[in-house]
Amino acid sequence: MPDLDADSILDRLGGLENRVGELEDVNAIRRLHWAYGYYIDFNLPDQVAELFAEDGVVVFLSGEYVGHAGVRRLYGDWIQQRFTGGRPGPVDGLLLDHFQMQDVITVAPDRQTAKGRFRGMLFGGWHDDFQDTREPGMPQQFMEARIYENDYVREDGVWKIRRLDYMMQWQSNYEDGWAHTTSHLQPATKTFPEDPVGPDRLLASREHRPTWPYRRDVPMHFAHPRFGNLLAASQTD
């Protein structure tokens, strides 16, 4: 090993310190997203909202829910009411398990912003003894898959979700399977307050997202590891 002067040693230590910091950031963001998954399992909208930045956004069914109020409206006024009648979970007879996996996380060079791609699976439904509590039109057992392409920001030293983009891939009744099912959830058409549980704004018409069996591309924020490297700065703009 060649002799190193003091400046070279300090440079190396600085590089190692930054690399360790990036790994800590990746773990913090992974933990943040996994925590989000557990909170939505049990319909806990207040806890979900606290994971978001003050100006955070959720993109869901062709609409954007903006700020903590928008996040609570989506996960509380709509989803919690839909599944548990406004009660926090777990609720007897209801399965609503969200599996979060296959994360690819890219932290910006300044370590203040990041992007993350996750795959999610949902298994939901009501037990025979409790199915009378489900909302009309909801299948008793269903499955759902989505891809997230999310933005994260460090707010007061803590990683928060800045934009959670929930892109449904397919949805099916369990008994029929995805080959024989059309999604029971459809894109939003009205905004809040005209729709009391609607988004604050709709996506542009070119970004309208029809649901299963129709598909949309979900562009990846990261470059192929062999055929090209994008600058992290451009990935997190």
Side-chain angles (χ1 to χ4, degrees):
M1 180 176 178
D3 292 335
L4 297 175
D5 58 27
D7 289 340
S8 297
I9 293 173
L10 289 175
D11 287 343
R12 281 199 170 194
L13 288 175
L16 289 172
E17 182 179 33
N18 187 68
R19 180 57 180 151
V20 170
E22 288 178 347
L23 294 173
E24 289 177 341
D25 293 336
V26 168
N27 284 330
I29 292 166
R30 181 180 293 126
R31 184 181 187 278
L32 170 64
H33 187 81
W34 287 353
Y36 158 84
Y38 283 116
Y39 288 142
I40 60 176
D41 281 354
F42 293 135
N43 288 282
L44 302 173
D46 291 333
Q47 288 87 337
V48 172
E50 291 303 316
L51 301 177
F52 283 78
E54 290 293 332
D55 60 350
V57 174
V58 180
V59 185
F60 183 70
L61 294 178
S62 296
E64 295 182 333
Y65 294 78
V66 181
H68 286 184
V71 174
R72 288 190 178 94
R73 185 166 67 254
L74 172 61
Y75 292 100
D77 298 344
W78 190 56
I79 295 178
Q80 188 188 62
Q81 289 290 335
R82 185 182 184 90
F83 287 101
T84 69
R87 293 172 292 163
V91 172
D92 290 343
L94 172 65
L95 177 71
L96 199 66
D97 289 354
H98 298 75
F99 298 87
Q100 314 291 341
M101 62 194 85
Q102 292 184 308
D103 50 282
V104 178
I105 298 169
T106 305
V107 179
D110 64 3
R111 296 181 50 214
Q112 298 303 304
T113 60
K115 286 186 176 290
R117 185 183 182 95
F118 291 79
R119 185 183 300 278
M121 295 286 295
L122 166 60
F123 296 89
W126 286 262
H127 188 273
D128 282 339
D129 293 342
F130 295 86
Q131 65 166 313
D132 59 343
T133 63
R134 64 189 166 111
E135 186 175 284
M138 286 287 290
Q140 185 179 353
Q141 300 181 101
F142 64 94
M143 305 176 292
E144 183 177 311
R146 81 296 303 262
I147 290 176
Y148 300 92
E149 272 284 347
N150 298 339
D151 294 322
Y152 302 90
V153 63
R154 194 190 298 272
E155 187 176 82
D156 297 326
V158 178
W159 282 105
K160 297 289 187 72
I161 302 168
R162 181 164 67 183
R163 183 179 179 86
L164 185 139
D165 200 343
Y166 179 111
M167 302 189 191
M168 185 190 299
Q169 297 301 292
W170 55 264
Q171 190 180 65
S172 72
N173 302 345
Y174 181 81
E175 291 84 358
D176 299 327
W178 48 84
H180 309 288
T181 307
T182 298
S183 293
H184 62 264
L185 290 178
Q186 294 296 316
T189 58
K190 299 178 181 179
T191 57
F192 178 82
E194 181 181 3
D195 180 352
V197 295
D200 293 281
R201 53 185 179 244
L202 299 178
L203 297 177
S205 58
R206 67 180 181 279
E207 297 177 303
H208 181 79
R209 297 173 178 175
T211 52
W212 180 254
Y214 303 101
R215 299 294 304 275
R216 284 184 62 88
D217 182 35
V218 186
M220 302 176 192
H221 76 266
F222 51 90
H224 190 284
R226 179 178 177 184
F227 298 112
N229 291 311
L230 297 177
L231 294 175
S234 65
Q235 295 169 345
T236 50
D237 286 344

